[in-house]
């Protein structure tokens, strides 16, 4: 049994919670939780987030600070670079004909903000901030967001001129999707 699985098992046992109750509440299979607790499977970061939130314990109790920094950095970079790539695609490619890139960029932005919340709670500076400083980090991320939002508005205007009804339907679906993403965090029972 690995130490993470042992800790999760110990906390669940101390709280008198059955695996079936955890599985049902978090929508994680019972077998998956058993494998994690017995050390047969390393849990995904999101699984640990769900479990620690459900047990009302700190994520810091399960990961050493260095490990937590690596996990948040990896997720931050993957989504931040995805957002940069999609911003570049907005510059060179017209999403009026392919909305997938636009939706993906919104998803990357949302996940960057999600993991940024984790970093703030556990006092982990984002990777850009650690390398270049707080001011440079805010400038870089702020400029990227301004460029992304400006291009998004411009491209949506272009799409509206070409296909107004399709664009209106797309915007309604995009807003619904954004609310569903935020709702999914609450449904995953992740609290910061």
């Amino acid at each position: 049994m690995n130490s993470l699985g042992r800790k999760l098992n110990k906390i669940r046992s101390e709280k008198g919670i059955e695996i079936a109750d955890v599985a049902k509440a978090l929508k994680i299979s019972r077998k998956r939780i058993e494998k994690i607790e017995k050390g047969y499977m390393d849990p995904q970061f999101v699984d640990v987030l769900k479990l620690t939130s459900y047990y009302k314990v700190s994520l810091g109790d399960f990961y050493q600070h260095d490990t937590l920094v690596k996990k948040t950095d990896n997720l931050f970079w993957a989504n931040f670079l995805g957002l940069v790539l999609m911003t570049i695609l907005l510059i060179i490619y017209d999403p009026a004909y392919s909305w997938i890139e636009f939706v993906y960029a919104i998803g990357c932005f949302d996940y960057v903000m999600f993991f940024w919340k984790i970093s703030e709670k556990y006092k982990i500076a984002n990777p850009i901030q650690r390398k270049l400083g707080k001011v440079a980090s805010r400038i870089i991320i702020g400029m990227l967001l301004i460029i992304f939002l400006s291009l998004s508005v411009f491209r949506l205007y272009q799409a509206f001129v070409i296909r107004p009804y399709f664009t209106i339907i797309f915007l309604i679906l995009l807003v619904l999707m954004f609310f569903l993403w935020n709702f999914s965090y609450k449904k995953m029972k992740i609290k910061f």
Side-chain angles (χ1 to χ4, degrees):
M1 186 184 300
N2 64 26
S3 63
L4 185 61
R6 191 174 26 248
K7 287 178 187 177
L8 289 168
N9 181 285
K10 182 179 177 189
I11 289 172
R12 183 185 56 74
S13 299
E14 286 173 353
K15 293 187 179 269
I17 302 171
E18 296 295 322
I19 289 180
D21 297 333
V22 177
K24 184 178 178 185
L26 300 179
K27 295 181 180 30
I28 299 174
S29 77
R30 179 186 173 104
K31 286 184 180 186
R32 183 176 183 85
I33 295 170
E34 287 173 352
K35 286 180 181 180
I36 290 169
E37 287 187 0
K38 290 179 180 176
Y40 299 139
M41 169 190 266
D42 285 330
Q44 294 178 351
F45 189 58
V46 173
D47 289 339
V48 177
L49 282 171
K50 289 178 182 182
L51 291 165
T52 55
S53 292
Y54 184 77
Y55 297 148
K56 295 183 174 92
V57 295
S58 172
L59 189 60
D61 294 340
F62 290 90
Y63 291 114
Q64 292 178 349
H65 186 73
D66 293 344
T67 305
L68 192 54
V69 167
K70 284 180 188 172
K71 290 196 175 288
T72 56
D73 281 2
N74 290 341
L75 293 166
F76 178 86
W77 278 123
N79 290 290
F80 182 79
L81 294 175
L83 183 60
V84 169
L85 176 66
M86 292 304 116
T87 301
I88 292 168
L89 283 176
L90 278 173
I91 293 169
I92 62 174
Y93 184 71
D94 187 359
Y97 300 103
S98 177
W99 295 93
I100 294 170
E101 292 88 2
F102 189 73
V103 172
Y104 180 74
I106 297 291
C108 288
F109 171 75
D110 195 44
Y111 283 110
V112 166
M113 296 298 112
F114 173 69
F115 289 105
W116 204 321
K117 288 179 185 176
I118 293 169
S119 296
E120 285 178 358
K121 173 164 179 157
Y122 294 100
K123 309 283 189 262
I124 301 170
N126 72 62
I128 298 171
Q129 185 177 345
R130 283 197 307 274
K131 297 282 185 200
L132 303 174
K134 195 173 193 175
V135 174
S137 169
R138 288 185 178 178
I139 290 171
I140 290 169
I141 293 171
M143 291 300 292
L144 178 63
L145 292 177
I146 289 169
I147 292 168
F148 173 71
L149 292 173
S150 300
L151 285 169
S152 298
V153 169
F154 176 70
R155 292 299 189 190
L156 285 172
Y157 172 74
Q158 284 182 321
F160 183 76
V161 169
I162 296 168
R163 298 187 231 165
Y165 296 114
F166 179 76
T167 306
I168 290 170
I169 291 169
F170 172 76
L171 286 173
I172 291 169
L173 291 173
L174 189 66
V175 168
L176 286 173
M177 184 175 61
F178 187 74
F179 283 113
L180 286 175
W181 274 328
N182 287 320
F183 177 72
S184 71
Y185 295 148
K186 292 177 183 154
K187 191 168 182 146
M188 287 190 313
K189 308 223 185 290
I190 294 175
K191 297 180 180 84
F192 297 104

